[in-house]
Every structure is written in structure tokens, then in C-alpha cells.
Amino acid sequence: MKHPENDPAYKGLNVNKGIPQPPSINPYLKKKAKRRQYTVDEYVDGILAGNIPILSQAVTLVESSKPEHEEMAQAIIEKCLPHSGNSIRVGITGVPGAGKSTSIDALGMYLINKGNKLAVLAIDPSSERSKGSILGDKTRMEKLSVQKNAFIRPSPAAGSLGGVARKTRETIILCEAAGFNYVFVETVGVGQSETAVHSMVDFFLLIQLAGTGDELQGIKRGIMEMADGIVINKADGDNIEKAKMAQRQLQNALHLFPVPESGWTPRVLTYSAYYNIGIEEIWDMIHEYIDFVKGNGYFERRRNEQAKYWMYETIDEQLKNNFYRNPVIEELMPRLEKEVLSAQKTSFAAAKEALDIYYGMQKR
Ligand code: GDP
């Protein structure tokens, strides 16, 4: 107890010996009751009744890679499928900092205030590496996160992009069956995840910023071509003029692209998510689009195309998983990799060897 404060001459308060920390404040904590297991029908009934805790648990099953969970999830999805499809699905993309979460908060609150139910899902390719995803995180959407009519779910964290995206698509089905009539799917505008999001939504919204140099530089042309609408955020204060200029540039650039299959020429709008300016106009645009494509049959066609796309995607994903998770293949691959790297084998020969072994095992 050699504190200067404990010197008899010291006039202030003394430092007392501390109390040892008990190992656990609540010794019963570990014995926390296990979650009750529902049957498939209980899950389905709960979802159809709009029970959010049950919906959440069902989504957890969808995200799980355990075979028994997968089987149950598929049974639930199948039973929910006839009750799905009744929402407007909007994909939202933009580089980090573009204002996705602020915009989702503002666009979402507009819907909630009109009595809608909104699910916010996400596909985050970076979650593959970090095993933790921030997209779709409740803390990023302050106003929405406390609304009982908003269901916010971060990106499924494990697996390949195809797997993660499939799970998000299946979650859309469950959310729709639970009565959510709007679904947002958020992703970062930097990689291939846009293609995945594009193939599960009705309207693809690209958030851009003005004043980042050449307006076309920041984002890949392919992503611009996918967009049904481009919105320039942060059109507030000193930024308004710059945003207007970017709007003109982008609109001109879009005229150079071929007319999309939908027959709809994408529009460019400016807005401020932070100051809640221009939000209604964005919704007017989206609803106008939906009416337009429902009128010309593209809405149905796109959803059918998407269903077909996901059938093939799922086959691809399952074949790959089945191959790479095979213990024999798992053991074989490092050796083949070495042989390819040291030029003992060609890539083709090594691939053929692995596939021959795999097919051989399938025949048995
Ligand atoms: P995200 O990374 O795309 O999700 O972007 P955030 O929504 O987190 O926004 C990034 C930053 O931009 C935050 O500091 C926001 O406060 C700010 N921001 C978002 N929208 C606006 C806006 O409309 N105007 C202004 N001035 N700032 C905004």
C-alpha cells in the first residue's frame, strides 16, 4: 500500500485495499435456458402471423450451414413461398461514405410513416473475410431501428458471395410472408455483390456523391448500367450546385447507354438524406417505375428470370460446396496446388485429376 496518499502526513482521502473481483457476478448465467425449438409448422404459423422473434429465428436457420438447419429452413421457405412476392424490393448500393445508412433511414422512415412494413437486409462481400458484417447493422439506422414495423438484419457472414446472396434472397421470402411490403437490400458499391443484389430486386438504386472528380470514375460502368435510378446525395449547403452539375453530367452519360430491357430510361435525382430533402421524389420515381414495368410486363419477366437465375446459382453453389468440402478433395488440393505452382503439372491436368477422383467417388 505504498501510495503517497497513504502517508500519515497526507491530508486527503486514503486509498483502501480493493475488494477481489468474484469470478462471476451471476453464477447461474451459464445455465441460461436453451431456446425452444419450433417445428416447421410453428415457424410458418409464427411468420405468417408476423411474429418478429420467430421470423428472426427462422432467418438464423436460413443462415446456418448445418445440414439439419438447412433442411428445416428449406421446408419453412417452401411453405412461405405462396405467401411471398408481395413487396417492392429495392437494391441500394454506393461506395462507403456515400450515405447508404443515412439514406435507408430517411427512405425507410418515409415508408414507415405511411403505415408500411420495411425489411432491411444486406449483402456484404467483405464479411467473408472479417466474418462480421456491418451492413444492415441496426446502429447505423438510428430512427428505423426503433420502429416496430422495421426489421433490420445484417448480412449473413459466412460462405461464398453466391451462398451469402442466396441466403439473403431466401430471407426476402420469409419477410414477405411475414407481411413486410417493402424490402431493401443494401450492398457496398465496389464489387460483384451488385450483380447478386440486382438479381433479387425490382428496382436498383445507386447512391452517388458529387464533387468526387469525374462523376463516372468512382463507380464501375457496369454498376451504372444496372441502375434503374441514380441519386446524388448530400445536395445541401454549399454542395447543391455541385450536385446539380453532377446530375446533368450523369443524365447525359446515361443517354449514351443503350435503352435497358425494361424500356425505362434511368433518372438522376439529387437529395439530402441528412436534411430529409428530396426523399419523396425518390419514392415517386420508384413507384412510377414499378407502375411502368408492371404495365409493360417487364416486372413479371424480371422476377421469373431471377427465379431461374437463382436455381442455377444454387446448383453452382451446391456443386462447388460438395466438391470442395469432400474430405478426399480437401486433402488432395494442397498437393495439386504445389504441383501446379512448381510447374510439374498444368492447371488443366491438375483440375482433371481432382475431378476424376471426385467423379470416381460419386460412382461408388
Ligand atoms: P454509408 O457508409 O454509405 O452507409 O454512409 P453513411 O450513411 O454512414 O454516411 C457517411 C457520412 O455522410 C456520415 O457522416 C453522414 O452523416 C454523412 N451524410 C449522409 N447523408 C448526408 C447528407 O445528405 N448530407 C450531408 N451533408 N452529409 C450526409
Side-chain angles (χ1 to χ4, degrees), residues 94-103 135 140 186 233-236 271-276:
V95 294
K100 288 182 295 304
S101 26
T102 316
S103 303
L135 283 188
R140 295 167 62 238
E186 179 191 8
N233 190 20
K234 310 195 188 183
D236 45 54
Y271 76 113
S272 166
Y274 190 83
Y275 293 101
N276 223 23

Side-chain angles (χ1 to χ4, degrees), residues 106-118 182-184 283 287:
L107 289 165
M109 282 311 295
Y110 179 87
L111 294 175
I112 296 284
N113 288 335
K114 287 195 175 302
N116 296 289
K117 285 180 77 176
L118 167 70
Y182 282 86
V183 178
F184 289 170
W283 276 118
H287 288 136

Side-chain angles (χ1 to χ4, degrees), residues 211-247:
T212 47
D214 184 343
E215 308 309 339
L216 296 177
Q217 286 293 303
I219 204 107
K220 290 195 190 86
R221 188 192 146 119
I223 296 176
M224 275 195 51
E225 274 178 286
M226 274 192 265
D228 301 300
I230 299 179
V231 286
I232 301 164
N233 190 20
K234 310 195 188 183
D236 45 54
D238 296 342
N239 222 5
I240 294 179
E241 271 316 305
K242 261 196 280 180
K244 289 254 157 68
M245 207 157 84
Q247 181 184 24

Side-chain angles (χ1 to χ4, degrees), residues 91-150:
I92 296 180
T93 193
V95 294
K100 288 182 295 304
S101 26
T102 316
S103 303
I104 290 173
D105 220 20
L107 289 165
M109 282 311 295
Y110 179 87
L111 294 175
I112 296 284
N113 288 335
K114 287 195 175 302
N116 296 289
K117 285 180 77 176
L118 167 70
V120 180
L121 314 175
I123 293 178
D124 181 0
S126 65
S127 63
E128 231 176 293
R129 266 165 280 133
S130 59
K131 295 283 176 208
S133 164
I134 52 152
L135 283 188
D137 185 353
K138 288 183 182 174
T139 53
R140 295 167 62 238
M141 295 143 203
E142 273 175 33
K143 294 191 209 96
L144 265 188
S145 59
V146 294
Q147 298 295 323
K148 71 172 187 352
N149 283 336

